[in-house]
Amino acid sequence: MKNSPADQGAKTDPKWRLIRQDDAEAGKPTFPELFFDLVFVFALIQLSHTLAKDFGSTALLEAALLILALWWLWIQITWLTNLLNTEAGLVRLFLFSMMFTGVLLAIALPKAFQEQSLIFAVIYSGMQIMRSLFALYVFKGVDHENSLTFARMALWLGISSIFWIAGGLSDTLIWQIGFWAVAIGIEYLGPVTKYYFPGLKTGKDERLHLSGEHLAERCALFVIICLGETILTTGRTATDYMNSSLTFVVFCSAFASTVLMWWIYFHHGQEKVSEKAEETAEPEKIAQNLFNYGHLPIVAGIILTAVGEDFSLSHSHEHSTLREAMAIVGGPILFLAGNIGVKIASSHIRPVSHFVGIAVLAVLLLLQGMPLYALQISAVSVLLLVAVWEYLALRKSAPSAA
């Protein structure tokens, strides 16, 4: 579905060409969108390096906030480009400006909880508010319902930015984490409440006219970006520690985990997600469940897995503690949990293999003292079990489904 302005006369407005048209190939990401995604390759590499270098007592909280922020920034800009004509010059300039500020955000990311906290907060808040104001400019006078949505969205982001800035100005880490947790909570709550704001009523038929196929394709490409970042991180670490046959075995195991995660996500689930998002009568509601929230644990799981692989390659013989296990085993748990949610929402199929995989990984998570290389290989073995089990189950059910 595409944008359909309430007033047919709005099509005479020059801004109408900034909106994606009915005859556009909505399911196919454009080159400007793919170019924009390159920024997040850099941001994810920065994030993985930061977590692998300093995975301290508050690291899980810090990691959660940074992952939530990066994902929310990307998915919200993706929702906007879903509505816009990315071939239009002004829209391209908007994306390029987001790219530039995104690079600055990624540069500040490693010190986001240290001396560059205020810089990170200002850049992040600025990108979110600029996105909403640009959307408001595009739809103002062209699509009244969408302009109402983005007006309220800008107000919500203005409130969350207060907490981002307050966290950036905080002298203590615990206050910074607290303020930023409130800020990101406000942003994630916004879509659930349709950005309700006192005094600003929602339109009677107000909704974003989305292309579910386009969103599914964009999220699939972001998963590819995360998996690619995992390979880059693993390859970089292996280069520094490839001094024994054991390191080579761990490297092969780490590479296999990336391939298996690709298979588990793309072999069956992604296609069903695309079909569900495109065919549903409630595209906005389904898209929020499948993409805004459903893909978050998948992305977070891949990022944590990359951190865990860094640990297992750089300290193969060391014995695991809860710190390392949360990355090596916690990453695959999050990934499988996210796939369960997405697959149930898109096809109403409960993948038993994924539930069993999570149960086995949970047992590994509780086992302390295993050598890191053994824990890494065990986690990958569970992913292999899940992938083979699901493949055989789907193959067995295919004839009856036909």
Side-chain angles (χ1 to χ4, degrees):
M1 298 178 67
K2 310 296 187 301
N3 286 287
S4 54
D7 182 5
Q8 292 299 318
K11 290 189 177 182
T12 62
D13 193 307
K15 290 190 295 184
W16 175 248
R17 63 185 180 83
L18 302 178
I19 300 175
R20 192 185 295 267
Q21 302 302 305
D22 290 343
D23 57 352
E25 292 188 69
K28 301 299 180 182
T30 60
F31 289 121
E33 291 174 289
L34 299 178
F35 192 35
F36 167 76
D37 287 349
L38 292 177
V39 171
F40 286 86
V41 175
F42 176 46
L44 291 174
I45 290 175
Q46 289 281 82
L47 178 58
S48 293
H49 289 185
T50 301
L51 296 179
K53 184 179 179 180
D54 182 19
F55 206 69
S57 57
T58 60
L60 285 178
L61 288 175
E62 296 172 14
L65 289 173
L66 292 175
I67 291 172
L68 287 168
L70 286 180
W71 169 252
W72 201 245
L73 181 63
W74 182 86
I75 191 64
Q76 291 300 302
I77 293 176
T78 297
W79 272 66
L80 179 56
T81 56
N82 182 275
L83 303 171
L84 301 182
N85 173 19
T86 54
E87 299 296 337
L90 188 59
V91 176
R92 287 185 173 184
L93 288 176
F94 163 74
L95 282 176
F96 294 155
S97 67
M98 289 291 101
M99 287 180 65
F100 178 73
T101 49
V103 171
L104 296 179
L105 184 77
I107 292 173
L109 190 148
K111 303 292 184 181
F113 288 93
Q114 299 172 33
E115 62 267 20
Q116 294 189 0
S117 59
L118 181 59
I119 295 175
F120 181 90
V122 169
I123 295 175
Y124 176 86
S125 300
M127 291 181 71
Q128 289 284 44
I129 293 174
M130 281 194 300
R131 170 184 61 82
S132 296
L133 291 180
F134 180 77
L136 183 59
Y137 163 77
V138 170
F139 291 110
K140 186 69 173 178
V142 177
D143 188 329
H144 180 64
E145 305 297 345
N146 276 346
S147 67
L148 284 175
T149 299
F150 284 106
R152 296 195 312 277
M153 188 182 298
L155 291 172
W156 272 67
L157 291 171
I159 294 173
S160 70
S161 69
I162 295 174
F163 290 93
W164 281 109
I165 302 302
L169 292 171
S170 299
D171 295 329
T172 59
L173 180 61
I174 190 65
W175 277 105
Q176 180 184 353
I177 291 175
F179 279 125
W180 284 9
V182 172
I184 204 69
I186 291 172
E187 294 185 18
Y188 273 73
L189 185 62
V192 178
T193 64
K194 294 188 175 181
Y195 295 99
Y196 169 79
F197 201 89
L200 291 180
K201 295 182 180 180
T202 60
K204 182 179 178 181
D205 300 316
E206 183 179 342
R207 60 176 177 166
L208 298 178
H209 300 276
L210 302 166
S211 165
E213 183 184 359
H214 177 266
L215 282 174
E217 187 77 12
R218 296 285 283 122
C219 284
L221 289 173
F222 194 82
V223 171
I224 286 288
I225 288 174
C226 293
L227 293 173
E229 182 277 329
T230 301
I231 292 177
L232 292 174
T233 299
T234 302
R236 175 191 59 82
T237 306
T239 300
D240 296 332
Y241 294 94
M242 191 68 77
N243 52 9
S244 68
S245 57
L246 178 60
T247 303
F248 179 73
V249 171
V250 176
F251 169 74
C252 292
S253 173
F255 181 81
S257 73
T258 304
V259 175
L260 289 168
M261 285 191 292
W262 179 92
W263 179 270
I264 291 170
Y265 177 80
F266 282 97
H267 174 62
H268 176 69
Q270 197 278 329
E271 181 180 351
K272 294 297 182 182
V273 166
S274 180
E275 292 175 359
K276 178 70 173 181
E278 188 63 21
E279 295 173 1
T280 180
E282 300 178 296
E284 186 175 350
K285 178 181 177 181
I286 295 300
Q288 299 223 10
N289 293 334
L290 287 177
F291 306 126
N292 278 19
Y293 308 113
H295 273 68
L296 176 59
I298 294 175
V299 170
I302 295 173
I303 294 172
L304 272 184
T305 299
V307 176
E309 290 169 356
D310 189 292
F311 290 153
S312 61
L313 281 167
S314 59
H315 304 88
S316 300
H317 291 283
E318 292 186 10
H319 294 282
S320 66
T321 64
L322 185 60
R323 169 181 174 268
E324 291 86 7
M326 288 299 293
I328 296 174
V329 179
I333 288 177
L334 274 177
F335 175 78
L336 290 178
N339 274 276
I340 288 174
V342 166
K343 289 176 181 179
I344 290 177
S346 60
S347 61
H348 303 291
I349 294 176
R350 288 170 173 77
V352 178
S353 59
H354 294 37
F355 286 103
V356 173
I358 289 177
V360 176
L361 288 168
V363 173
L364 290 176
L365 185 63
L366 298 176
L367 295 178
Q368 302 295 312
M370 288 180 65
L372 294 183
Y373 74 85
L375 189 61
Q376 171 68 40
I377 294 173
S378 299
V380 175
S381 299
V382 174
L383 288 177
L384 177 61
L385 169 67
V386 171
V388 173
W389 185 339
E390 183 181 41
Y391 173 75
L392 294 177
L394 290 173
R395 188 175 180 182
K396 183 178 179 180
S397 63
S400 59

